[in-house]
């Protein structure tokens, strides 16, 4: 009897506390417009958890005015869309939520039709959207939070020209897709704009004139050399399918610039505004074993390089100094973290978001994921997610309002 009385007393106290808290901030008394503004500032994952509170909160997700309120939030902590090493149509997408520091399974229908899941690969991301390349050379644009998607036809489905880079730029109301085609030094680009729902004309790029630094690579074909372990190694870099089109788009002094890696591991920049390109000098000699990737952080391009030297492995981050015209190191993974990669023939694939960078390290022997704060130079190793291995990631902002159509679309 005493125990039951104690429980009842505790329930009354909890009820009183709940009533007191609700009286301090009575959300139910807010008008719809103000309620939507308050809810729009919640982290995306928290919002979906709280939609079960009541029908009124749940209905806000489908409200046009709520999406407008969400678009007023300047930025959201990034999510990282993980790419499976062995994708299957039955797999739900996995993301890493940087705001909560955990893995999440997106429990909604597949982002692309299951019959074409194995034939589509993610190739670009921007804002709140992801871009998949289909086997027919067309594209699927999707909002990974809402699972809304649409398809785009290829601008030149019969073209035999290689595509070294695919980049994407997205705002809340529209997006554009940029394709770089051809081989050095014969490069071209073409853009799709969702506001007009049209592909633009193909435009040629010329080599940047009067550059103080000349490219060190004039080879037209791959070369081979023996590694320290006696393996035959090609100078032509090998990349995972999702990353072979990887590029980053930056806005520098009002000009659009796309950076990508050539087939020989050199960094190439394409200035779409000036319609020229520039090939940067190598970070390491051509006959070197290394893994390399590009990231964009806070509007700047950085190079992430994993190399081996003196029986140890190192992961370093570099930036290009425009004034002095050479590469400068800005960050390095602590040796006790990078040493375990030595001799494992690992491949690194990276993606940046704000001041953060995710690094995926893969080989037949090891699979590791790390997060780095480039400003503080802090490195944190992330735990694994279930029994799935990931080869790379694409960063995006989890935005409910991110539109897959143009301004006049739905």
């Amino acid at each position: 009897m005493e125990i039951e009385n104690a429980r009842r007393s505790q329930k009354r106290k909890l009820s009183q506390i709940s009533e007191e808290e609700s009286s301090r901030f009575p959300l139910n008394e807010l008008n719809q417009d103000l309620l939507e503004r308050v809810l729009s500032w919640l982290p995306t994952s928290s919002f979906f958890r709280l939609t079960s509170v009541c029908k009124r909160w749940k209905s806000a997700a489908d409200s046009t005015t709520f999406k407008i309120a969400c678009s007023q939030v300047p930025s959201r902590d990034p999510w990282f869309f993980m790419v499976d090493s062995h994708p299957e149509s039955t797999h739900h997408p996995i993301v890493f939520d940087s705001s909560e520091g955990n893995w999440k399974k997106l429990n909604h229908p597949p982002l692309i039709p299951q019959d074409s899941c194995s034939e589509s690969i993610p190739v670009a991301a921007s804002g709140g959207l992801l871009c998949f390349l289909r086997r027919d050379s067309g594209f699927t644009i999707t909002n990974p939070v809402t699972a809304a998607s649409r398809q785009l036809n290829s601008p030149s489905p019969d073209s035999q020209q290689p595509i070294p880079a695919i980049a994407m730029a997205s705002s809340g109301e529209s997006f554009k897709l940029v394709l770089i085609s051809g081989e050095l030094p014969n490069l071209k680009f073409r853009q799709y704009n969702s506001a007009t729902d049209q592909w633009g004309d193909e435009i040629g790029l010329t080599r940047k004139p009067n550059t103080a630094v000349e490219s060190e690579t004039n080879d037209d074909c791959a070369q081979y050399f023996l590694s320290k372990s006696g393996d035959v190694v090609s100078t032509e870099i090998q990349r995972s399918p999702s990353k072979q089109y990887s590029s980053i788009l930056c806005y520098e002094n009002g000009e659009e610039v796309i950076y990508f890696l050539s087939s020989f591991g050199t960094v190439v920049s394409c200035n779409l505004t000036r319609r020229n390109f520039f090939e940067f000098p190598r970070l390491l000699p051509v006959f070197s074993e290394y893994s390399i990737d590009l990231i964009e952080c806070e509007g700047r391009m950085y190079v992430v390089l994993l190399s081996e030297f003196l029986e140890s492995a190192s992961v370093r981050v570099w930036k290009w100094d425009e004034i002095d015209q050479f590469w400068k190191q800005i960050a390095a993974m602590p040796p006790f973290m990078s040493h375990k990669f030595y001799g494992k023939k690992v491949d690194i694939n990276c993606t940046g978001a704000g001041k953060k960078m995710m690094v995926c390290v893969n080989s037949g022997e090891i699979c590791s994921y790390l997060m780095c704060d480039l400003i503080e130079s802090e490195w944190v190793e992330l735990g694994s997610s279930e029994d799935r291995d990931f080869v790379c990631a694409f960063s995006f902002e989890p935005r409910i309002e991110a539109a897959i159509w143009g301004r006049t679309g739905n």
Side-chain angles (χ1 to χ4, degrees):
M1 180 67 72
E2 292 181 358
I3 295 176
E4 289 182 3
N5 291 335
R7 288 178 176 173
R8 291 174 182 173
S9 176
Q10 186 177 11
K11 288 181 179 179
R12 284 196 296 271
K13 289 180 180 179
L14 290 174
S15 178
Q16 291 173 359
I17 292 173
S18 179
E19 290 177 1
E20 290 176 1
E21 289 182 346
S22 62
S23 64
R24 292 174 192 166
F25 195 66
L27 286 177
N28 289 335
E29 295 181 9
L30 297 178
N31 61 45
Q32 188 69 14
D33 180 65
L34 192 54
L35 175 64
E36 291 176 354
R37 291 189 184 185
V38 172
L39 295 180
S40 69
W41 283 90
L42 290 174
T44 304
S45 55
S46 298
F47 171 77
F48 281 114
R49 287 196 297 266
L50 292 176
T51 52
S52 60
V53 172
C54 63
K55 292 182 179 179
R56 187 185 178 198
W57 287 32
K58 185 176 179 61
S59 65
D62 300 322
S63 169
T64 302
T65 53
F66 173 69
K67 293 179 180 179
I68 294 175
C70 288
S71 67
Q72 304 303 314
V73 179
S75 63
R76 296 190 184 274
D77 290 330
W79 285 6
F80 295 86
F81 181 87
M82 309 305 297
V83 180
D84 285 85
S85 55
H86 302 288
E88 296 181 11
S89 59
T90 56
H91 281 168
H92 284 273
I94 297 291
V95 298
F96 182 81
D97 183 347
S98 66
S99 64
E100 297 185 355
N102 56 26
W103 303 95
K104 285 181 169 55
K105 181 184 292 184
L106 300 181
N107 293 315
H108 53 51
L111 298 181
I112 51 179
Q114 291 194 12
D115 57 355
S116 61
C117 181
S118 61
E119 301 176 353
S120 299
I121 55 174
V123 292
S126 178
L129 301 177
L130 285 176
C131 175
F132 289 79
L133 175 65
R134 302 194 307 270
R135 188 174 183 179
D136 62 1
S137 299
F139 301 92
T140 299
I141 309 299
T142 181
N143 181 327
V145 176
T146 65
S149 65
R150 62 170 296 195
Q151 294 190 351
L152 296 178
N153 292 326
S154 170
S156 50
D158 299 326
S159 174
Q160 299 300 316
Q161 287 190 332
I163 300 178
I166 300 174
M168 188 180 190
S170 169
S171 65
E173 298 179 328
S174 62
F175 70 90
K176 67 179 177 181
L177 206 58
V178 184
L179 309 183
I180 303 293
S181 60
E183 296 179 344
L184 289 171
N186 302 310
L187 296 177
K188 301 177 182 179
F189 77 94
R190 173 174 275 175
Q191 299 188 67
Y192 169 84
N193 192 325
S194 69
T196 60
D197 193 23
Q198 290 182 344
W199 286 96
D201 295 331
E202 195 171 55
I203 300 174
L205 296 167
T206 59
R207 189 179 294 275
K208 186 177 179 180
N210 302 323
T211 53
V213 180
E214 294 295 334
S215 170
E216 300 175 5
T217 57
N218 296 311
D219 306 303
D220 294 328
C221 58
Q223 300 180 47
Y224 299 88
F225 63 97
L226 286 176
S227 67
K228 292 181 292 184
S229 60
D231 298 325
V232 177
V233 181
S234 170
T235 57
E236 187 171 359
I237 62 173
Q238 304 295 321
R239 313 201 74 193
S240 62
S242 290
K243 298 294 286 187
Q244 65 179 317
Y245 306 101
S246 178
S247 62
I248 59 175
L249 193 154
C250 300
Y251 290 89
E252 302 174 355
N253 300 318
E255 300 176 348
E256 289 182 309
V257 182
I258 288 181
Y259 296 90
F260 67 93
L261 290 171
S262 72
S263 59
F264 296 101
T266 57
V267 180
V268 180
S269 69
C270 295
N271 189 313
L272 306 186
T273 305
R274 297 179 180 270
R275 300 181 180 180
N276 59 34
F277 70 90
F278 171 66
E279 191 175 5
F280 291 84
R282 290 182 176 274
L283 276 158
L284 291 178
V286 62
F287 297 111
S288 302
E289 286 187 90
Y290 60 89
S291 183
I292 187 173
D293 204 359
L294 304 180
I295 63 168
E296 178 270 328
C297 285
E298 297 188 325
R300 293 202 60 171
M301 181 272 293
Y302 299 93
V303 175
V304 186
L305 189 71
L306 185 152
S307 59
E308 296 184 358
F309 184 68
L310 297 178
E311 298 186 354
S312 183
S314 68
V315 177
R316 303 174 186 273
V317 184
W318 305 78
K319 72 174 182 179
W320 177 254
D321 190 302
E322 285 289 350
I323 298 177
D324 296 328
Q325 294 286 289
F326 66 84
W327 294 102
K328 287 186 177 180
Q329 178 181 312
I330 65 158
M333 184 183 294
F336 76 90
M337 298 180 74
S338 61
H339 179 68
K340 66 180 179 180
F341 304 140
Y342 177 74
K344 299 295 193 296
K345 298 181 180 179
V346 298
D347 179 39
I348 60 167
N349 293 297
C350 312
T351 184
K355 64 177 183 178
K356 296 180 180 179
M357 170 183 69
M358 175 179 275
V359 181
C360 299
V361 185
N362 305 89
S363 74
E365 303 177 45
I366 193 172
C367 189
S368 182
Y369 320 107
L370 304 103
M371 191 72 73
C372 173
D373 185 316
L374 292 176
I375 304 300
E376 304 296 334
S377 193
E378 295 177 350
W379 297 76
V380 178
E381 188 164 4
L382 309 177
S384 59
S385 173
E386 300 179 342
D387 297 325
R388 291 160 64 176
D389 293 335
F390 306 111
V391 294
C392 62
F394 290 86
S395 63
F396 68 97
E397 289 189 46
R399 288 190 171 273
I400 299 170
E401 76 280 7
I404 59 173
W405 301 91
R407 297 172 183 241
T408 58
N410 296 321

